[in-house]
Amino acid sequence: MPLPPHLSPQLWQEALTRLRAAVGPDALFTADEDVTLYRDAYSPVWGEPEERQASAAVAPNSTDQVQAVVRIAHHFGIPLFPIATGRNLGYGGSAPNLSGSVIVDLKRMNRIIEVDDKRHFAIVEPGVSYFDLYRHIQERGLDVWIDVPDPGWGSVMGNALDHGVGHTWSSYRDHFGSHCGLEVVLPNGEVMRTGMGAMSSAKTSGDFRYGFGPYVDGLFAQAGFGIVTRMGIHLMPRPECFLHRRVLAYRRQDIVPLVEVANKLEDAGLVGMPLYESPMFGAQFADKALRDIATASDVWNGNAIDRYAAEKTMPAWQLGLSFYGPAEVVEASWRHAQAQFAKAIPGAKFETIETLRFPLSPQAEEEALHKVLIGVPNLNIFAIGARSATNPEPADGHLLFSPMVARSGEEVMKAQRLFTEGMREMGTDFPMSYGPFTAPFTWMPRIFALTTGLPVSRSDPKVNQRSRETMRKLIELGARHGYGEYRTPPLFQDQVMGTYDFNDNALRRFCETLKDAVDPKGIIAPGRGGFWPRAMRKEA
């Protein structure tokens, strides 16, 4: 494993001795077989000189131990890279931005400090996973839900701090947006609390995120201004009833009114996360005629898609709608939604997918069709990467390209064409990465993500090289047309931050100024978020 930058072997051994004393001999990992576990399992530079690798890992079990680790690192000038559970697959895993950093593995800090099902919040440490919090709530019969991502094995805190997202109401599925109050170890080892937690006598740190004065919490998300050791998060009251219904639309252009009506319903608080899909996306793998349509140069006018839909009675689009609340309320909301879609989309059809009443029995929960829509963590997402007839040689991992697209059907179709034709011009051969059936993801409120995955291989460097080159070109292409990414692996963070270029990259320069002020040695996650302390900027 690489040594921390600019540190002699002698000083490194002295630092390790002090770290071992701070956390105990069983919580410091220096052997190659241990440290290699912190590599990015989906690294697009696996086994190459550019791969980001740690020098060691340390696993404190309390805020006091985190403080001790930070102070030792500050004394020796050792960069640290904090992780919660290290499950950020597709966006960097547990690997640092700077090779030679020491991983601060916070998974031993897994205490659920409080869950209040009357005021609807939880306060957790970084090692608490979605499974942990869900189990805690279920065992105590508490009347709250958590909003979960796919998959559910990651950290509640870690996901929020990387701007992660979920699947229920808009006010909960933006996980950083629903957080409330942080406890942070700063680069000098001092502890700070934000929001109402900054008042030592307050009992409302899980209720009111702002407190008094500047709102600084955003500095600790996708950035290296401190190590967060505690976080509050707002929870959703458990509803009486859940309806999942579907709208079917049979023309390509129907996505325009489909989005317009869904936006109104969601922004009025009548539905949860809209789930857009195209049945033709999967059908094209089995039907050569549909594949030919999808790759034809005139596909964008929609005529061939509309003819195929009419002939096969197959929708061009389908929209899943989730309703939460009292039974009579959600049924009325669904009737209202049906009327709005029928008026806006001639020929639209409707399907009943699922109706649930809570609390669920264990068997009913197991049989639920879309567990993430009802706040149940699971690992079903990994079935997508399994070997199958349509995926005979699954990759070892993937890169996620996640451009933000305005929430309109016109913008979806515009971005589909841009990225599809852009990839063809790049000469890439990743089948169906983008196309006329690419549906928007709606995890973030008030915005779409037109996300796609590029394959990663541990055995074929050429696959990784092609994916890296494609990723960089997609980032540049998207930025040129105003589509910025919201999240990306360390290898691409400098480039993505560079695309936020207003006023000569004023945002990055401001972040650098703050970094130089609070962390001039670059102790906490240098390079995280695409900006570096002054001493390391030439190394970026």
Side-chain angles (χ1 to χ4, degrees):
M1 298 295 109
L3 291 181
H6 314 304
L7 199 68
S8 69
Q10 181 180 355
L11 285 176
W12 176 230
Q13 291 305 314
E14 183 181 339
L16 291 177
T17 298
R18 292 179 60 175
L19 288 170
R20 189 175 291 110
V23 300
D26 295 332
L28 177 68
F29 308 102
T30 59
D32 285 358
E33 60 265 29
D34 293 327
V35 181
T36 196
L37 297 175
Y38 294 94
R39 296 170 72 180
D40 176 9
Y42 289 6
S43 173
V45 284
W46 184 271
E48 299 183 44
E50 296 85 357
E51 184 182 357
R52 317 294 173 87
Q53 297 197 52
S55 57
V58 60
N61 68 2
S62 68
T63 298
D64 288 345
Q65 287 193 1
V66 174
Q67 287 182 270
V69 168
V70 170
R71 286 169 177 152
I72 292 166
H74 191 272
H75 175 79
F76 287 95
I78 297 172
L80 303 174
F81 190 80
I83 63 170
T85 60
R87 304 296 193 185
N88 199 18
L89 297 179
Y91 292 115
S94 53
N97 284 67
L98 180 66
S99 281
S101 298
V102 171
I103 302 296
V104 182
D105 186 344
L106 301 169
K107 65 173 170 282
R108 293 174 66 208
M109 296 180 64
N110 59 358
R111 301 168 188 86
I112 298 172
I113 297 162
E114 183 179 2
V115 178
D116 192 312
D117 67 346
K118 303 298 188 295
R119 290 149 62 194
H120 308 123
F121 67 80
I123 299 175
V124 299
E125 290 186 331
V128 174
S129 71
Y130 288 94
F131 286 117
D132 294 334
L133 184 54
Y134 182 76
R135 190 179 305 115
H136 178 97
I137 290 169
Q138 293 298 107
E139 289 173 350
R140 289 158 179 79
L142 301 176
D143 289 329
V144 286
W145 276 11
I146 57 176
D147 184 282
V148 300
D150 280 324
W153 63 359
S155 160
V156 175
M157 178 187 298
N159 184 270
L161 293 178
D162 202 40
H163 297 166
V165 284
H167 298 85
T168 62
W169 286 113
S170 61
S171 56
Y172 298 103
R173 70 179 187 264
D174 174 0
H175 293 166
F176 189 72
S178 62
H179 98 281
C180 189
L182 303 175
E183 178 184 86
V184 185
V185 176
L186 299 173
N188 63 0
E190 189 176 21
V191 176
M192 177 181 74
R193 288 185 179 173
T194 68
M196 294 306 298
M199 178 187 288
S200 57
S201 62
K203 307 298 183 185
T204 52
S205 64
D207 299 289
F208 182 53
R209 64 172 58 94
Y210 299 118
F212 179 77
Y215 181 65
V216 300
D217 293 43
L219 295 174
F220 305 103
Q222 291 193 358
F225 290 109
I227 298 178
V228 182
T229 54
R230 180 182 295 195
M231 183 188 79
I233 189 162
H234 291 162
L235 302 177
M236 177 177 169
R238 183 176 63 187
E240 173 190 315
C241 184
F242 166 75
L243 306 183
H244 191 63
R245 302 294 187 257
R246 185 175 288 161
V247 184
L248 306 178
Y250 291 82
R251 292 173 293 273
R252 173 168 166 76
Q253 290 289 333
D254 284 344
I255 194 171
V256 175
L258 198 66
V259 170
E260 289 178 358
V261 175
N263 287 352
K264 291 179 181 178
L265 295 171
E266 185 182 15
D267 293 350
L270 298 179
V271 300
M273 186 191 79
L275 180 59
Y276 294 92
E277 299 173 290
S278 173
M280 294 184 183
F281 181 84
Q284 66 188 321
F285 293 100
D287 187 342
K288 183 179 182 301
L290 186 55
R291 285 201 305 276
D292 290 342
I293 289 173
T295 55
S297 59
D298 64 347
V299 67
W300 308 111
N301 63 31
N303 294 335
I305 291 175
D306 294 349
R307 287 194 297 270
Y308 186 94
E311 178 185 341
K312 302 291 186 179
T313 320
M314 178 182 291
W317 302 103
Q318 63 186 35
L319 170 64
L321 295 172
S322 297
F323 299 82
Y324 305 87
E328 63 273 20
V329 173
V330 296
E331 290 286 1
S333 294
W334 169 230
R335 289 194 297 271
H336 169 73
Q338 279 183 280
Q340 296 302 305
F341 284 112
K343 180 180 179 181
I345 306 173
K349 296 181 180 179
F350 306 98
E351 293 181 341
T352 294
I353 306 301
E354 191 169 35
T355 302
L356 300 172
R357 297 291 186 97
F358 302 98
L360 295 179
S361 68
Q363 179 179 350
E365 180 180 298
E366 182 61 31
E367 293 173 353
L369 298 178
H370 301 286
K371 292 181 173 59
V372 291
L373 298 180
I374 56 171
V376 179
N378 63 87
L379 294 175
N380 291 347
I381 188 67
F382 283 104
I384 293 175
R387 193 178 306 277
S388 66
T390 58
N391 192 22
E393 296 182 6
D396 294 322
H398 55 260
L399 291 174
L400 290 174
F401 173 64
S402 298
M404 297 291 96
V405 175
R407 197 176 47 152
S408 77
E410 293 93 341
E411 278 295 322
V412 169
M413 292 189 290
K414 177 182 173 182
Q416 283 177 338
R417 181 169 186 171
L418 173 72
F419 290 120
T420 300
E421 294 182 350
M423 291 189 72
R424 287 176 186 165
E425 291 174 6
M426 296 171 199
T428 58
D429 56 357
F430 303 135
M432 311 307 175
S433 291
Y434 279 113
F437 312 132
T438 302
F441 290 99
T442 54
W443 308 304
M444 282 76 64
R446 296 184 176 274
I447 195 74
F448 285 159
L450 209 68
T451 299
T452 194
L454 306 176
V456 167
S457 172
R458 294 190 184 183
S459 58
D460 189 347
K462 292 182 179 178
V463 169
N464 293 341
Q465 180 181 359
R466 193 160 62 248
S467 289
R468 294 195 306 268
E469 292 174 352
T470 302
M471 182 78 162
R472 294 198 184 281
K473 291 176 181 177
L474 285 172
I475 292 169
E476 191 279 329
L477 175 64
R480 196 178 342 130
H481 292 270
Y483 303 125
E485 284 201 273
Y486 86 106
R487 197 172 175 190
T488 197
L491 190 65
F492 308 99
Q493 286 176 14
D494 289 346
Q495 182 186 1
V496 169
M497 178 55 106
T499 64
Y500 287 74
D501 59 355
F502 173 77
N503 191 20
D504 191 26
N505 300 99
L507 175 61
R508 175 156 58 190
R509 289 186 287 110
F510 182 73
C511 292
E512 290 171 344
T513 300
L514 293 177
K515 186 72 169 174
D516 292 343
V518 301
D519 189 15
K521 290 187 176 182
I523 300 304
I524 308 296
R528 183 78 170 92
F531 60 92
W532 299 76
R534 181 178 290 110
M536 299 182 187
R537 278 172 206 154
K538 291 184 179 180
E539 300 175 12

